[in-house]
PDB file of all heavy atoms in Angstrom:
ATOM      1  N   SER B   1      -5.431   2.560  -6.905  1.00  0.00           N
ATOM      2  CA  SER B   1      -6.668   1.978  -7.431  1.00  0.00           C
ATOM      3  C   SER B   1      -6.480   1.217  -8.736  1.00  0.00           C
ATOM      4  O   SER B   1      -7.240   0.273  -9.013  1.00  0.00           O
ATOM      5  CB  SER B   1      -7.726   3.064  -7.625  1.00  0.00           C
ATOM      6  OG  SER B   1      -7.308   4.026  -8.569  1.00  0.00           O
ATOM      7  N   THR B   2      -5.505   1.589  -9.554  1.00  0.00           N
ATOM      8  CA  THR B   2      -5.346   0.914 -10.850  1.00  0.00           C
ATOM      9  C   THR B   2      -4.149  -0.025 -10.892  1.00  0.00           C
ATOM     10  O   THR B   2      -3.944  -0.712 -11.895  1.00  0.00           O
ATOM     11  CB  THR B   2      -5.231   1.939 -11.990  1.00  0.00           C
ATOM     12  OG1 THR B   2      -4.133   2.819 -11.734  1.00  0.00           O
ATOM     13  CG2 THR B   2      -6.514   2.746 -12.135  1.00  0.00           C
ATOM     14  N   THR B   3      -3.341  -0.073  -9.841  1.00  0.00           N
ATOM     15  CA  THR B   3      -2.263  -1.061  -9.792  1.00  0.00           C
ATOM     16  C   THR B   3      -2.880  -2.456  -9.763  1.00  0.00           C
ATOM     17  O   THR B   3      -3.696  -2.750  -8.888  1.00  0.00           O
ATOM     18  CB  THR B   3      -1.389  -0.869  -8.538  1.00  0.00           C
ATOM     19  OG1 THR B   3      -0.813   0.438  -8.564  1.00  0.00           O
ATOM     20  CG2 THR B   3      -0.282  -1.917  -8.491  1.00  0.00           C
ATOM     21  N   PRO B   4      -2.544  -3.336 -10.710  1.00  0.00           N
ATOM     22  CA  PRO B   4      -3.178  -4.660 -10.750  1.00  0.00           C
ATOM     23  C   PRO B   4      -3.035  -5.420  -9.438  1.00  0.00           C
ATOM     24  O   PRO B   4      -2.012  -5.326  -8.743  1.00  0.00           O
ATOM     25  CB  PRO B   4      -2.439  -5.359 -11.897  1.00  0.00           C
ATOM     26  CG  PRO B   4      -2.016  -4.235 -12.798  1.00  0.00           C
ATOM     27  CD  PRO B   4      -1.659  -3.110 -11.872  1.00  0.00           C
ATOM     28  N   ALA B   5      -4.060  -6.189  -9.115  1.00  0.00           N
ATOM     29  CA  ALA B   5      -4.109  -6.910  -7.843  1.00  0.00           C
ATOM     30  C   ALA B   5      -2.946  -7.872  -7.675  1.00  0.00           C
ATOM     31  O   ALA B   5      -2.524  -8.143  -6.547  1.00  0.00           O
ATOM     32  CB  ALA B   5      -5.440  -7.667  -7.733  1.00  0.00           C
ATOM     33  N   VAL B   6      -2.426  -8.397  -8.775  1.00  0.00           N
ATOM     34  CA  VAL B   6      -1.379  -9.422  -8.681  1.00  0.00           C
ATOM     35  C   VAL B   6       0.031  -8.830  -8.667  1.00  0.00           C
ATOM     36  O   VAL B   6       1.010  -9.572  -8.529  1.00  0.00           O
ATOM     37  CB  VAL B   6      -1.490 -10.436  -9.844  1.00  0.00           C
ATOM     38  CG1 VAL B   6      -2.800 -11.200  -9.746  1.00  0.00           C
ATOM     39  CG2 VAL B   6      -1.382  -9.735 -11.208  1.00  0.00           C
ATOM     40  N   TYR B   7       0.171  -7.521  -8.790  1.00  0.00           N
ATOM     41  CA  TYR B   7       1.492  -6.911  -8.861  1.00  0.00           C
ATOM     42  C   TYR B   7       2.164  -6.845  -7.487  1.00  0.00           C
ATOM     43  O   TYR B   7       1.506  -6.616  -6.464  1.00  0.00           O
ATOM     44  CB  TYR B   7       1.388  -5.499  -9.438  1.00  0.00           C
ATOM     45  CG  TYR B   7       1.532  -5.419 -10.940  1.00  0.00           C
ATOM     46  CD1 TYR B   7       1.214  -6.516 -11.750  1.00  0.00           C
ATOM     47  CD2 TYR B   7       2.000  -4.265 -11.558  1.00  0.00           C
ATOM     48  CE1 TYR B   7       1.338  -6.440 -13.125  1.00  0.00           C
ATOM     49  CE2 TYR B   7       2.124  -4.185 -12.938  1.00  0.00           C
ATOM     50  CZ  TYR B   7       1.802  -5.281 -13.716  1.00  0.00           C
ATOM     51  OH  TYR B   7       1.940  -5.211 -15.068  1.00  0.00           O
ATOM     52  N   ALA B   8       3.491  -6.987  -7.477  1.00  0.00           N
ATOM     53  CA  ALA B   8       4.248  -6.809  -6.242  1.00  0.00           C
ATOM     54  C   ALA B   8       4.049  -5.407  -5.675  1.00  0.00           C
ATOM     55  O   ALA B   8       4.028  -5.228  -4.448  1.00  0.00           O
ATOM     56  CB  ALA B   8       5.733  -7.066  -6.498  1.00  0.00           C
ATOM     57  N   GLU B   9       3.896  -4.432  -6.540  1.00  0.00           N
ATOM     58  CA  GLU B   9       3.676  -3.058  -6.095  1.00  0.00           C
ATOM     59  C   GLU B   9       2.445  -2.949  -5.200  1.00  0.00           C
ATOM     60  O   GLU B   9       2.418  -2.133  -4.268  1.00  0.00           O
ATOM     61  CB  GLU B   9       3.541  -2.127  -7.301  1.00  0.00           C
ATOM     62  CG  GLU B   9       3.220  -0.673  -6.977  1.00  0.00           C
ATOM     63  CD  GLU B   9       4.294   0.007  -6.133  1.00  0.00           C
ATOM     64  OE1 GLU B   9       5.427  -0.497  -6.061  1.00  0.00           O
ATOM     65  OE2 GLU B   9       3.987   1.071  -5.545  1.00  0.00           O
ATOM     66  N   LYS B  10       1.427  -3.766  -5.469  1.00  0.00           N
ATOM     67  CA  LYS B  10       0.223  -3.735  -4.637  1.00  0.00           C
ATOM     68  C   LYS B  10       0.556  -4.135  -3.203  1.00  0.00           C
ATOM     69  O   LYS B  10       0.002  -3.562  -2.244  1.00  0.00           O
ATOM     70  CB  LYS B  10      -0.846  -4.665  -5.219  1.00  0.00           C
ATOM     71  CG  LYS B  10      -2.150  -4.713  -4.435  1.00  0.00           C
ATOM     72  CD  LYS B  10      -2.867  -3.372  -4.411  1.00  0.00           C
ATOM     73  CE  LYS B  10      -3.433  -3.024  -5.771  1.00  0.00           C
ATOM     74  NZ  LYS B  10      -4.246  -1.783  -5.698  1.00  0.00           N
ATOM     75  N   ARG B  11       1.448  -5.074  -3.023  1.00  0.00           N
ATOM     76  CA  ARG B  11       1.839  -5.483  -1.672  1.00  0.00           C
ATOM     77  C   ARG B  11       2.614  -4.368  -0.957  1.00  0.00           C
ATOM     78  O   ARG B  11       2.435  -4.138   0.233  1.00  0.00           O
ATOM     79  CB  ARG B  11       2.663  -6.765  -1.722  1.00  0.00           C
ATOM     80  CG  ARG B  11       1.791  -8.009  -1.872  1.00  0.00           C
ATOM     81  CD  ARG B  11       1.795  -8.558  -3.311  1.00  0.00           C
ATOM     82  NE  ARG B  11       0.717  -9.517  -3.460  1.00  0.00           N
ATOM     83  CZ  ARG B  11      -0.364  -9.310  -4.229  1.00  0.00           C
ATOM     84  NH1 ARG B  11      -0.505  -8.203  -4.921  1.00  0.00           N
ATOM     85  NH2 ARG B  11      -1.308 -10.215  -4.303  1.00  0.00           N
ATOM     86  N   ARG B  12       3.467  -3.677  -1.705  1.00  0.00           N
ATOM     87  CA  ARG B  12       4.182  -2.548  -1.109  1.00  0.00           C
ATOM     88  C   ARG B  12       3.207  -1.428  -0.735  1.00  0.00           C
ATOM     89  O   ARG B  12       3.354  -0.780   0.311  1.00  0.00           O
ATOM     90  CB  ARG B  12       5.263  -2.044  -2.066  1.00  0.00           C
ATOM     91  CG  ARG B  12       6.398  -3.053  -2.301  1.00  0.00           C
ATOM     92  CD  ARG B  12       7.568  -2.428  -3.032  1.00  0.00           C
ATOM     93  NE  ARG B  12       7.265  -2.140  -4.430  1.00  0.00           N
ATOM     94  CZ  ARG B  12       7.445  -2.986  -5.440  1.00  0.00           C
ATOM     95  NH1 ARG B  12       7.908  -4.211  -5.199  1.00  0.00           N
ATOM     96  NH2 ARG B  12       7.171  -2.639  -6.681  1.00  0.00           N
ATOM     97  N   GLN B  13       2.215  -1.209  -1.593  1.00  0.00           N
ATOM     98  CA  GLN B  13       1.195  -0.210  -1.278  1.00  0.00           C
ATOM     99  C   GLN B  13       0.419  -0.606  -0.018  1.00  0.00           C
ATOM    100  O   GLN B  13       0.066   0.257   0.798  1.00  0.00           O
ATOM    101  CB  GLN B  13       0.222  -0.061  -2.455  1.00  0.00           C
ATOM    102  CG  GLN B  13       0.839   0.589  -3.681  1.00  0.00           C
ATOM    103  CD  GLN B  13      -0.066   0.523  -4.902  1.00  0.00           C
ATOM    104  OE1 GLN B  13      -1.091  -0.171  -4.896  1.00  0.00           O
ATOM    105  NE2 GLN B  13       0.317   1.230  -5.959  1.00  0.00           N
ATOM    106  N   ALA B  14       0.160  -1.900   0.135  1.00  0.00           N
ATOM    107  CA  ALA B  14      -0.546  -2.373   1.323  1.00  0.00           C
ATOM    108  C   ALA B  14       0.251  -2.064   2.588  1.00  0.00           C
ATOM    109  O   ALA B  14      -0.302  -1.595   3.600  1.00  0.00           O
ATOM    110  CB  ALA B  14      -0.813  -3.874   1.214  1.00  0.00           C
ATOM    111  N   LYS B  15       1.549  -2.295   2.539  1.00  0.00           N
ATOM    112  CA  LYS B  15       2.388  -2.029   3.705  1.00  0.00           C
ATOM    113  C   LYS B  15       2.421  -0.530   4.015  1.00  0.00           C
ATOM    114  O   LYS B  15       2.328  -0.117   5.187  1.00  0.00           O
ATOM    115  CB  LYS B  15       3.801  -2.563   3.469  1.00  0.00           C
ATOM    116  CG  LYS B  15       4.690  -2.513   4.714  1.00  0.00           C
ATOM    117  CD  LYS B  15       6.035  -3.167   4.467  1.00  0.00           C
ATOM    118  CE  LYS B  15       5.922  -4.680   4.359  1.00  0.00           C
ATOM    119  NZ  LYS B  15       7.262  -5.330   4.286  1.00  0.00           N
ATOM    120  N   GLU B  16       2.543   0.297   2.977  1.00  0.00           N
ATOM    121  CA  GLU B  16       2.549   1.747   3.196  1.00  0.00           C
ATOM    122  C   GLU B  16       1.208   2.224   3.743  1.00  0.00           C
ATOM    123  O   GLU B  16       1.156   3.165   4.555  1.00  0.00           O
ATOM    124  CB  GLU B  16       2.886   2.468   1.890  1.00  0.00           C
ATOM    125  CG  GLU B  16       4.328   2.299   1.442  1.00  0.00           C
ATOM    126  CD  GLU B  16       5.327   2.751   2.503  1.00  0.00           C
ATOM    127  OE1 GLU B  16       5.136   3.860   3.058  1.00  0.00           O
ATOM    128  OE2 GLU B  16       6.284   1.996   2.780  1.00  0.00           O
ATOM    129  N   THR B  17       0.123   1.599   3.290  1.00  0.00           N
ATOM    130  CA  THR B  17      -1.209   1.948   3.804  1.00  0.00           C
ATOM    131  C   THR B  17      -1.293   1.649   5.297  1.00  0.00           C
ATOM    132  O   THR B  17      -1.829   2.445   6.076  1.00  0.00           O
ATOM    133  CB  THR B  17      -2.290   1.175   3.028  1.00  0.00           C
ATOM    134  OG1 THR B  17      -2.252   1.554   1.645  1.00  0.00           O
ATOM    135  CG2 THR B  17      -3.679   1.454   3.585  1.00  0.00           C
ATOM    136  N   GLY B  18      -0.763   0.492   5.717  1.00  0.00           N
ATOM    137  CA  GLY B  18      -0.735   0.150   7.132  1.00  0.00           C
ATOM    138  C   GLY B  18       0.077   1.132   7.954  1.00  0.00           C
ATOM    139  O   GLY B  18      -0.305   1.507   9.076  1.00  0.00           O
ATOM    140  N   LYS B  19       1.198   1.569   7.423  1.00  0.00           N
ATOM    141  CA  LYS B  19       2.014   2.563   8.129  1.00  0.00           C
ATOM    142  C   LYS B  19       1.271   3.896   8.247  1.00  0.00           C
ATOM    143  O   LYS B  19       1.271   4.548   9.297  1.00  0.00           O
ATOM    144  CB  LYS B  19       3.331   2.780   7.384  1.00  0.00           C
ATOM    145  CG  LYS B  19       4.298   1.609   7.423  1.00  0.00           C
ATOM    146  CD  LYS B  19       5.558   1.935   6.620  1.00  0.00           C
ATOM    147  CE  LYS B  19       6.545   0.774   6.624  1.00  0.00           C
ATOM    148  NZ  LYS B  19       7.740   1.065   5.799  1.00  0.00           N
ATOM    149  N   ARG B  20       0.632   4.280   7.166  1.00  0.00           N
ATOM    150  CA  ARG B  20       0.003   5.606   7.134  1.00  0.00           C
ATOM    151  C   ARG B  20      -1.167   5.711   8.115  1.00  0.00           C
ATOM    152  O   ARG B  20      -1.363   6.762   8.722  1.00  0.00           O
ATOM    153  CB  ARG B  20      -0.463   5.932   5.716  1.00  0.00           C
ATOM    154  CG  ARG B  20      -1.142   7.283   5.577  1.00  0.00           C
ATOM    155  CD  ARG B  20      -0.278   8.441   6.032  1.00  0.00           C
ATOM    156  NE  ARG B  20      -1.063   9.675   6.145  1.00  0.00           N
ATOM    157  CZ  ARG B  20      -0.776  10.666   6.964  1.00  0.00           C
ATOM    158  NH1 ARG B  20       0.293  10.611   7.751  1.00  0.00           N
ATOM    159  NH2 ARG B  20      -1.541  11.738   7.017  1.00  0.00           N
ATOM    160  N   ILE B  21      -1.946   4.640   8.318  1.00  0.00           N
ATOM    161  CA  ILE B  21      -3.095   4.756   9.216  1.00  0.00           C
ATOM    162  C   ILE B  21      -2.645   5.047  10.644  1.00  0.00           C
ATOM    163  O   ILE B  21      -3.317   5.790  11.371  1.00  0.00           O
ATOM    164  CB  ILE B  21      -3.987   3.496   9.163  1.00  0.00           C
ATOM    165  CG1 ILE B  21      -5.286   3.727   9.964  1.00  0.00           C
ATOM    166  CG2 ILE B  21      -3.267   2.274   9.692  1.00  0.00           C
ATOM    167  CD1 ILE B  21      -6.133   4.878   9.488  1.00  0.00           C
ATOM    168  N   VAL B  22      -1.511   4.515  11.062  1.00  0.00           N
ATOM    169  CA  VAL B  22      -1.018   4.800  12.417  1.00  0.00           C
ATOM    170  C   VAL B  22      -0.675   6.281  12.542  1.00  0.00           C
ATOM    171  O   VAL B  22      -0.992   6.938  13.551  1.00  0.00           O
ATOM    172  CB  VAL B  22       0.192   3.914  12.757  1.00  0.00           C
ATOM    173  CG1 VAL B  22       0.714   4.243  14.157  1.00  0.00           C
ATOM    174  CG2 VAL B  22      -0.179   2.432  12.670  1.00  0.00           C
ATOM    175  N   GLU B  23      -0.067   6.839  11.501  1.00  0.00           N
ATOM    176  CA  GLU B  23       0.232   8.269  11.504  1.00  0.00           C
ATOM    177  C   GLU B  23      -1.062   9.082  11.523  1.00  0.00           C
ATOM    178  O   GLU B  23      -1.148  10.120  12.210  1.00  0.00           O
ATOM    179  CB  GLU B  23       1.061   8.621  10.264  1.00  0.00           C
ATOM    180  CG  GLU B  23       2.436   7.963  10.227  1.00  0.00           C
ATOM    181  CD  GLU B  23       3.113   8.112   8.874  1.00  0.00           C
ATOM    182  OE1 GLU B  23       2.447   8.597   7.922  1.00  0.00           O
ATOM    183  OE2 GLU B  23       4.285   7.740   8.752  1.00  0.00           O
ATOM    184  N   MET B  24      -2.072   8.650  10.778  1.00  0.00           N
ATOM    185  CA  MET B  24      -3.349   9.372  10.736  1.00  0.00           C
ATOM    186  C   MET B  24      -4.020   9.386  12.109  1.00  0.00           C
ATOM    187  O   MET B  24      -4.639  10.387  12.497  1.00  0.00           O
ATOM    188  CB  MET B  24      -4.282   8.743   9.705  1.00  0.00           C
ATOM    189  CG  MET B  24      -3.856   8.951   8.264  1.00  0.00           C
ATOM    190  SD  MET B  24      -4.910   8.052   7.105  1.00  0.00           S
ATOM    191  CE  MET B  24      -6.490   8.881   7.339  1.00  0.00           C
ATOM    192  N   VAL B  25      -3.914   8.273  12.849  1.00  0.00           N
ATOM    193  CA  VAL B  25      -4.469   8.234  14.206  1.00  0.00           C
ATOM    194  C   VAL B  25      -3.783   9.277  15.072  1.00  0.00           C
ATOM    195  O   VAL B  25      -4.434  10.021  15.825  1.00  0.00           O
ATOM    196  CB  VAL B  25      -4.330   6.818  14.802  1.00  0.00           C
ATOM    197  CG1 VAL B  25      -4.663   6.825  16.293  1.00  0.00           C
ATOM    198  CG2 VAL B  25      -5.231   5.831  14.062  1.00  0.00           C
TER     199      VAL B  25
END
């Protein structure tokens, strides 16, 4: 939530979020 929108880390978090939802299903 506090990682700035423009940071590269935000993109890595986005990819991990995509991976995690498949596991949650």
Side-chain angles (χ1 to χ4, degrees):
S1 62
T2 57
T3 300
V6 296
Y7 269 26
E9 176 61 18
K10 180 63 70 174
R11 280 103 194 112
R12 294 191 289 271
Q13 291 171 350
K15 188 175 288 187
E16 290 304 313
T17 298
K19 291 179 181 178
R20 179 57 192 152
I21 188 59
V22 179
E23 296 169 352
M24 290 175 65
V25 170

